[in-house]
Amino acid sequence: MTTSYKLFAVGAWVEDVQEEHLAVMALVVTSGPEGVARVEPQRLASWRHPGPVTALQVADLGRGEVCIFSGGGGGALCRLQLAMPLAPGATPSDIQLRGGGFEGADLLVAAQLHRGPLSGISVQSDSRLVATCGLDGRIFVLPVLGDLSAHMEEPLVDSGPSTSYWAIAWSSPQTFVTAGTTGGLEVWDRRGGKPVARSPMSWGATGFAELDLAQGTARRISSVAVHPGRPHLAATGSSDGCVAVWDLRFRNPPARAALDDPSAGDVRKVQFDASEAAAGGGAGGGCLLFCTEGGFLAMASPAFDDGSSAQQERGGAGGAAWRAEVLWREPAAAMLAFDAEQDQGRDLMASTDQDALSTSPADDSGHTRILLGRNGVTENQSVLRPAILLWDQVGCWVESEPVADDLLTSPEDLKAIIIAEVDE
């Protein structure tokens, strides 16, 4: 039997003490010859958070150096610095906290940035920059390390109270993408305060021009992800189970796909399939994974009527129709967020609003799903990367214990994000 620890951070309202907390936790995964045998959640550390956790992101800076960023409903940005163990046989007890960021049981505010909820955080590890956006129409770009408060006087962008930004994602060490009340996508250069490119208004607010025109402001983009190997491609999720893949050069309308089910609900998270990228798959961006409030975990991929790969070779979105395929459906729960292993895509993790850690038998692909319940995401926070749903390569039934009630007490307020994996 072997043991691995999948580490993650959660932000939650703790009912017992009536406080908002940010906690570092681990899933202790015990595996044998037939696959996963046991999964046990374990809390490692917890701090009081300054207000509700509205955004959460992790920066892997290499050589075991990790930063956890969290945003608050009052616009504050917090930071924890961790030194992850690299030696074989290490356990979570070997993790070291560095650089402050907390005082006793309180998590400290690194920078007070926004005049209202901080709605999105994105980290660019190469340039070591963190970008934040808020419902106040402001965008900040700050160094990952150092004194963040020294850089908070002037935002990079201040569009005023009439504009809100819902999602943000880096596309290169110099540029990032946002989605907000202006509709569509905007591309920004961190060295200037105005968009360098913007999707045409004729493509609609979400890339579905006909639906956007018919339904008006009820439709909006809630999640943005940039392709890990093709930074000119970005995916978005929006209302009614709709996803789109945009070429950020904006030469052609986005490729589009939608779940053919009226109960699909809004898309809460989109992410390019890491396993497709690792295998060298193209498809003008490969496959796209997404989840919805209707309980769907789905995949979108290009639909070529003639079986050709011409569009794959062009590497653009091309305005073509994609097809959406349901991977999993939670019949009585919302699928609020998910995360895929970034290197090979072997493990896929998802969160629902169920009450505890639950499991399902392996499907035809031989994957076992483990879901961490009570892992909700509040309005405008769909860019978070919570966990936990393991798709194990070897199919088996997994017996697991419920998540501790003293932490996971509020389905509406809990968020989680994978930090790293440590093998014993």
Side-chain angles (χ1 to χ4, degrees), residues 85-170:
L86 300 177
T91 68
S93 62
D94 298 313
I95 298 173
Q96 297 179 8
L97 291 166
R98 292 182 176 175
F102 61 95
E103 183 175 328
D106 295 311
L107 192 63
L108 300 179
V109 173
Q112 183 64 46
L113 302 178
H114 296 274
R115 307 185 189 105
L118 192 158
S119 56
I121 301 173
S122 182
V123 175
Q124 220 298 323
S125 296
D126 292 335
S127 57
R128 296 202 169 194
L129 294 172
V130 55
T132 71
C133 66
L135 302 188
D136 59 351
R138 298 174 119 200
I139 298 173
F140 286 84
V141 175
L142 310 170
V144 168
L145 302 176
D147 183 6
L148 300 184
S149 63
H151 302 270
M152 69 181 191
E153 295 297 330
E154 292 293 334
L156 178 68
V157 177
D158 190 348
S159 300
S162 62
T163 300
S164 292
Y165 293 106
W166 300 313
I168 189 167
W170 285 97

Side-chain angles (χ1 to χ4, degrees), residues 193-219:
K194 294 183 179 180
V196 296
R198 180 183 285 116
S199 60
M201 295 182 63
S202 60
W203 296 355
T206 71
F208 290 75
E210 303 85 355
L211 291 175
D212 295 338
L213 181 62
Q215 300 181 25
T217 56
R219 291 180 55 82

Side-chain angles (χ1 to χ4, degrees), residues 9-11 53-54 56 375-378 381 384 412-417:
V10 295
V53 178
T54 57
L56 198 58
N375 198 6
V377 186
T378 57
Q381 304 313 321
L384 308 180
E412 293 79 17
D413 294 332
L414 181 66
K415 305 154 184 84
I417 184 166

